[in-house]
Amino acid sequence: MFAGDGRGYDGLTSEETAFLVTAAEQRTTEERAATRARRRSRTLTASLCAVLAVALVVGLIAVRLRQDSERQTTDTAARRVAAVADALRTTDPRTAMLLGVAAWRVSPLPESRRGLLGALAQPELDNFTDPAPGDTPSRFLDSSGRTLLSTSDNSTWRTWDVGTHRRIASGPVPHGAILAAGPGNRVLVIQGADRTQRLWNTRTRRWIGDPLPPMYTVSFGASGRTYLAKNLVDGRVEVYSVADGQLVFRTPSAGGARRLADAAGDGDRLLAVCLRGRSPQLWDTSTGRVRPGAWSSARGVCGDSTSLSLSLCSGRLVALTEGRRARVWDTTSGRELADVAHPGVLGAVVSSDGSFLATGGGQDIRVWRLPSGGAPVFRHSLDNELLSGLAFDSSRPLLRYLEGGTVHTLDLASTLTRAWRTNPLAGVLTNPDGTTLATAEPTRTPGTPGRPPCRRTSSASTSPPYAMPD
């Protein structure tokens, strides 16, 4: 061995040589230990990074799985709510609409979207069921459609607010069969054990007028201020005041001809009667004369059918013949406004402004626009329900009907409007982005080009903002 200056280590002692060898070995050992330490550190760091990465991945997967599970649970709940909404659409329409909106808010799925659209398009808004069980109680829907009268065991009467589902009033009723109720459900027609009929005032709890023999049938005028007593023997109709039971008007004897139907309306000043085999007659009780009109020459109205029904309301005379057709006349001008077919029709009512006719029976309820008639502008299926009362709500665009012990409420806000076209459109076309709607109308003069109006689809206005040039 040699030193750094070229000299050998021969001059070193054995202790010095051993020291140098030991120092070199120690240095090598320390370098190897440092290398192993660095290697272990890198391995440990890599292992920790791998473990952390795996932990993060597992955590993310767990979070994602939990989110997916929560989403699936939420989606399942939304689908169930939408299914319940669809199931309740006919039995509990108000709850069905709320559930349809709730399902969409819970999760915007195709099923919940269908439920939401079903709530928007649902014509039935609400229904009210008489708390009295069974079909034994007699039930009568007021002509305004807002009050239901129910009798329990023919001993107690109750009136219910159809809109709020709350009881308005109640009271006793004399023993007997309740045959009819007047407008406002203030007066009842009660048939006793001897088959005589009397009127009972539910407010004063007193009888009105004298008993009527079994040969009479009783009905009420549209205003509720009078009632009609029809003699089944000579066909005569007598009009009495509800206030005191005094005779107001009496038609001449029909000579034994059977009277099929009668009705009073327009302030009970007009009286419509129908004799078998004759045309309808419209009496003016203030003058005692028959008012002429198109009904005087109507054929087939007062035929042999026993299901004929007459009604006078909102300046209209309505006749339902043989459960198949409904005919409407204007009592002022005397002209016929509509002659529509509705198989199985049981009832008809005219809106307060006289612009719409509602007919119910058979398979559905239909609303017709007067005086055009034509096709109905609204249909609602009855689902084999037996309709026993039909009424327009004079304060809101609602139509109510009584089926068994349940009053159903239909929304006619989009139907009872004056914004109806007089003629159908010849064509409709939208631009590619759907922002503009062009409509083509048939011209009055054949061969003359028209000017199609264009409307912006985002605007709620029905009037066109501009028209294309010819």
Side-chain angles (χ1 to χ4, degrees), residues 20-289:
L20 291 176
V21 171
T22 302
E25 292 177 354
Q26 183 66 27
R27 181 176 181 181
T28 302
T29 302
E30 291 178 353
E31 289 178 354
R32 291 176 180 176
T35 301
R36 288 194 299 269
R38 287 193 299 271
R39 190 175 299 164
R40 286 195 301 268
S41 177
R42 287 194 297 266
T43 303
L44 181 59
T45 302
S47 300
L48 291 176
C49 291
V51 171
L52 180 60
V54 171
L56 290 176
V57 171
V58 172
L60 291 176
I61 293 175
V63 172
R64 186 62 179 268
L65 290 176
R66 187 184 64 181
Q67 292 176 349
D68 292 342
S69 177
E70 292 177 351
R71 186 185 308 109
Q72 291 177 2
T73 303
T74 303
D75 293 347
T76 301
R79 292 189 180 95
R80 290 179 179 176
V81 172
V84 173
D86 290 337
L88 295 177
R89 208 160 299 280
T90 57
T91 58
D92 194 351
R94 177 180 293 181
T95 303
M97 289 188 294
L98 295 176
L99 290 178
V101 176
W104 175 257
R105 291 182 175 179
V106 169
S107 182
L109 298 172
E111 294 84 355
S112 58
R113 176 182 175 86
R114 184 175 65 249
L116 179 62
L117 295 178
L120 294 175
Q122 176 181 314
E124 193 166 359
L125 294 181
D126 187 24
N127 57 27
F128 168 70
T129 301
D130 181 15
D135 298 329
T136 303
S138 300
R139 302 179 178 96
F140 303 94
L141 182 63
D142 182 37
S143 58
S144 66
R146 295 190 291 269
T147 306
L148 175 68
L149 182 139
S150 171
T151 61
S152 177
D153 299 329
N154 290 330
S155 60
T156 304
W157 62 267
R158 296 179 179 86
T159 53
W160 301 86
D161 189 310
V162 175
T164 61
H165 301 186
R166 295 180 179 178
R167 191 173 68 181
I168 301 175
S170 62
V173 63
H175 180 73
I178 300 177
L179 303 181
N185 296 322
R186 296 187 299 270
V187 180
L188 305 179
V189 180
I190 302 178
Q191 184 180 55
D194 56 355
R195 300 186 63 82
T196 60
Q197 302 175 49
R198 297 195 69 178
L199 272 67
W200 173 260
N201 192 318
T202 59
R203 294 185 177 179
T204 62
R205 300 183 182 182
R206 295 181 179 179
W207 294 107
I208 299 175
D210 298 326
L212 295 173
M215 67 185 67
Y216 281 84
T217 60
V218 180
S219 60
F220 289 90
S223 67
R225 295 192 295 268
T226 61
Y227 66 94
L228 314 180
K230 178 173 63 177
N231 192 319
L232 299 179
V233 176
D234 60 6
R236 179 178 296 174
V237 176
E238 300 172 352
V239 182
Y240 293 90
S241 171
V242 170
D244 52 13
Q246 297 297 318
L247 180 66
V248 177
F249 179 78
R250 174 185 295 162
T251 63
S253 174
R258 184 176 179 182
R259 192 172 300 277
L260 299 177
D262 51 75
D266 291 347
D268 297 346
R269 185 173 58 88
L270 298 180
L271 173 66
V273 297
C274 211
L275 295 173
R276 181 189 297 273
R278 302 182 186 179
S279 300
Q281 295 179 346
L282 189 63
W283 289 84
D284 190 331
T285 60
S286 61
T287 61
R289 297 180 180 180

Side-chain angles (χ1 to χ4, degrees), residues 326 328 336-341 355-357 367-377:
V328 184
E336 186 172 13
L337 300 180
D339 183 1
V340 298
S355 301
F356 293 88
L357 167 71
V367 177
W368 316 77
R369 186 164 58 95
L370 301 176
S372 63
V377 296

Side-chain angles (χ1 to χ4, degrees), residues 373-441:
V377 296
F378 175 84
R379 287 176 182 262
H380 176 70
S381 176
L382 290 176
D383 296 330
N384 297 322
E385 300 171 353
L386 182 59
L387 178 143
S388 59
L390 193 64
F392 275 109
D393 191 325
S394 58
S395 61
R396 299 174 59 192
L398 301 176
L399 178 65
R400 293 189 173 98
Y401 66 95
L402 178 62
E403 175 268 323
T406 303
V407 180
H408 300 262
T409 302
L410 303 178
D411 181 16
L412 298 184
S414 60
T415 302
L416 303 184
T417 174
R418 297 184 180 273
W420 285 95
R421 298 186 54 82
T422 57
N423 297 313
L425 294 174
V428 178
L429 184 66
T430 59
N431 65 335
D433 60 0
T435 58
T436 304
L437 175 70
T439 59
E441 302 180 9

